[in-house]
Amino acid sequence: MDISLNGFGENVATFAVSGEVKSGMPVKISANGTVAPCAAKDKFCGLVLSVHNGYAAVQMTGYIKVSYAGTKPTVGYQTVNADGTGKVQVETTGRLLLITDVDEPEGTCGLVLA
């Protein structure tokens, strides 16, 4: 039997956009009510679900599938931050998040934003 965590604890907020952001990338708060792309090793506030007319829907909490860079993450609590190219990476500093699944061929992992 397959399981799904899609929709678990999902909370989404709308922000104005500064810079070039795309769906799936981690973003940070850059000004009042505004998000921008993350640089390498930035802690991110959420991941972009969609962008339209200068606004982004950003998932702030809950389960999400995201592309990773660098070392393959392992399931369990890991320290995660942005890699500066629109992906996340496991590092020694960042946000402590629960990684629930890893798909190495796809280069993605499922994590729970808290």
Side-chain angles (χ1 to χ4, degrees):
M1 178 171 126
D2 289 342
I3 63 144
S4 174
L5 295 172
N6 289 336
F8 170 77
E10 208 172 272
N11 285 301
V12 178
T14 302
F15 292 92
V17 171
S18 174
E20 187 175 332
V21 300
K22 297 178 184 172
S23 293
M25 74 185 318
V27 290
K28 62 184 177 184
I29 300 292
S30 61
N32 290 343
T34 306
V35 294
C38 289
K41 301 191 184 239
D42 278 350
K43 291 182 184 177
F44 55 94
C45 68
L47 288 115
V48 176
L49 297 179
S50 65
V51 180
H52 185 69
N53 289 337
Y55 292 92
V58 179
Q59 184 172 337
M60 308 289 286
T61 62
Y63 175 83
I64 193 162
K65 183 88 61 175
V66 63
S67 296
Y68 69 85
T71 305
K72 176 185 147 189
T74 56
V75 295
Y77 282 95
Q78 302 291 326
T79 306
V80 180
N81 62 26
D83 81 330
T85 70
K87 298 178 181 179
V88 299
Q89 61 187 355
V90 175
E91 285 281 339
T92 55
T93 62
R95 294 178 64 183
L96 185 62
L97 298 174
L98 177 60
I99 296 177
T100 59
D101 55 279
V102 179
D103 185 338
E104 191 171 10
E106 292 292 320
T108 60
C109 63
L111 53 86
V112 178
L113 299 170

